[in-house]
Amino acid sequence: MKTIHGMMLLGCSALALAGCGADDISSPGAGSIVINNPTPTPTPTPTPTSGTVVAAASCPSFNATGGLTNSGTISGPEGTWRVCTLPALVDVSSSLPKVAGVLYRLNGRVDVGCDGGFAAPTATSTFTTTTASCNSKVLSADTNVTLTIDPGVIVYGENGAEPAWLAVNRGNKINATGTAALPIIFTSRDNVVGTNNDSSQGQWGGVVLLGRGQVTDCNYGAAPTVAGGSTTCERDTEGAVNKAVFGGSDNTYNAGTMKYVQIRYSGYVLSNGKELQSLTTEGTGTGTTLEYFQSVNSSDDGAEFFGGAVNFKHYIAVNADDDSLDVDTGLQGNFQYVLLLQRSGGGDAMVEADSNGAEDQFPRQKTNIANFTMVQPAVSSNNEANDLASLLIRGNSDITLVNGIINTPNNECLRLNGSGTVPATLKAFSVVMSCNSTKYMGSGSYTAANTQSQFAAGTNNNDAFTSTLTNTFVNGANEAGVVAYASITSLSSYFDNVAYIGAVKDASDTWYKGWTCNNATAAFGSSTSCTALPTT
């Protein structure tokens, strides 16, 4: 299915891309992807182990109806764990505490609260939620459920009758606040039993945050066709009867907090054109806190952001099999300290920005990416797949790159596609690139010369840079010699005004250490491999 989709995108990519926008959850990368969905067992059978973990005697208490189900034990290289399965609906605020010898399990889709709709229900509302477990409820107010996940907790997904994924519905929140010493880990059953390797991916769904921010390309209602116009636009996540709907008019929406979090081995095809990656935000707003996040081996995008307004610092994507960062459908985004690292010969663009064919709808996407380091290995000659370049900007997108490093010596660096009344735009300030001899591409109404001129119109850019990065992503002497953009806070007050380019200033800058895991693509100086679980 992924291969066919990739062929379709490739067939239209070089000419007029206006009709080749992102899928509802992502546009998959090239090549065949084997989605490894293990057959679940009601009670996993322990196997002999030399690990140190000892299963807890029971599951902790949990406020939601039905509580946690004791699903027996599961064994892996680290020892034996008690398996505590979440209910399909978390209907009241509940917490997952860190308990020695306990793993928490998603067996299929788990909803946090019931969907409250485009705007918070009022006393006279007759809105009925679309989530199966909530269909009998007519809401007079948001269910206002918060799922709290304590530092150090490990949650794994096990695909059953439907894929395992966590949906935080509108009117509800997640509080997944780890620490540098005790990150929260979402992963797969195969990771627990120790059968994963550096190429494993696509073993469960992921985490989806749904909000009431503005979106375009509607499944329901309509987006404005003039700036500042009223909107009734909503979209849905899942191509099934029980949809997870998002969208509204509140770009300050608060879906909660995700901080010091890893999401490993995720990605799942829900239906045609509906895929999950590690983290998907959909209409979330500036009230949502997103910091210190690592996506590992997603079979789709590293993370994807649909509409709303997102502020995000310290984002790492390793080995995404599609785009490392995908931004869509009217997003107002600010990203700083961004590490996008792809394996040799795998993945698609490091950044894809578009509007899913809704070029003349508002709001226009406006995304700023600052202090980034994007690396596609020098030994690779096909890391750009369907998007044909390391960064693809198209649709109704206005993208600003600042204080950045693009190190992709065997690939084209930038591609702009011109479509719609006002095509996509690019601005770049203090951005250096190591590309192949082509460097620039254009399609639709844009030529390669248009792309080159937009990059050249910025200040202090260099498209013939010689990279001296160390440890894959740490600035070396040449990077340290580049003068940073001095007016970064004029782009957004959210940004830190730093005097260097790239995500990692030098060897003394270690914001990525401790809460991450290591793999063959990048060693983050952590004590845990991504194929293993921490035992403390």
Side-chain angles (χ1 to χ4, degrees), residues 504-525:
V504 180
K505 178 182 179 182
D506 52 34
S508 66
D509 184 7
T510 59
W511 61 262
Y512 54 87
K513 286 189 175 181
W515 58 276
T516 50
C517 61
N518 298 327
N519 65 12
T521 299
F524 295 100

Side-chain angles (χ1 to χ4, degrees), residues 78-261:
E78 290 75 38
T80 301
W81 310 80
R82 176 68 52 193
V83 178
C84 301
T85 301
L86 277 73
L89 172 65
V90 181
D91 58 353
V92 295
S93 292
S94 307
S95 296
L96 298 177
K98 179 172 172 55
V99 177
V102 166
L103 296 177
Y104 299 101
R105 173 176 176 253
L106 307 176
N107 186 29
R109 172 174 163 180
V110 172
D111 286 285
V112 177
C114 296
D115 179 15
F118 184 91
T122 66
T124 58
S125 173
T126 57
F127 177 82
T128 303
T129 61
T130 57
T131 302
S133 300
C134 299
N135 271 340
S136 62
K137 299 179 184 294
V138 177
L139 302 184
S140 60
D142 280 333
T143 50
N144 198 28
V145 171
T146 298
L147 175 64
T148 298
I149 305 175
D150 285 354
V153 162
I154 301 172
V155 180
Y156 78 89
E158 182 159 32
N159 296 334
E162 65 171 319
W165 57 293
L166 185 68
V168 182
N169 290 300
R170 292 179 293 189
N172 306 279
K173 295 182 176 68
I174 189 170
N175 178 14
T177 306
T179 67
L182 292 172
I184 293 165
I185 298 174
F186 292 88
T187 191
S188 66
R189 183 183 188 276
D190 282 15
N191 197 187
V192 174
V193 300
T195 59
N196 277 352
N197 57 40
D198 196 59
S199 298
S200 300
Q201 60 185 23
Q203 296 172 343
W204 68 291
V207 176
V208 179
L209 307 182
L210 301 114
R212 291 176 170 138
Q214 292 188 12
V215 297
T216 62
D217 188 35
C218 321
N219 295 120
Y220 319 105
T225 55
V226 295
S230 62
T231 179
T232 58
C233 186
E234 296 178 279
R235 293 170 57 84
D236 64 65
T237 305
E238 188 169 9
V241 174
N242 304 314
K243 296 176 172 61
V245 182
F246 62 98
S249 59
D250 180 10
N251 272 6
T252 68
Y253 182 86
N254 182 3
T257 297
M258 296 193 74
K259 186 174 182 178
Y260 292 113
V261 171

Side-chain angles (χ1 to χ4, degrees), residues 342-345 375-381 383 407-411 521:
Q342 292 186 347
R343 65 163 67 95
S344 180
V375 178
Q376 291 172 319
V379 297
S380 171
S381 59
N383 263 82
N407 185 28
T408 177
N410 280 345
N411 298 317
T521 299

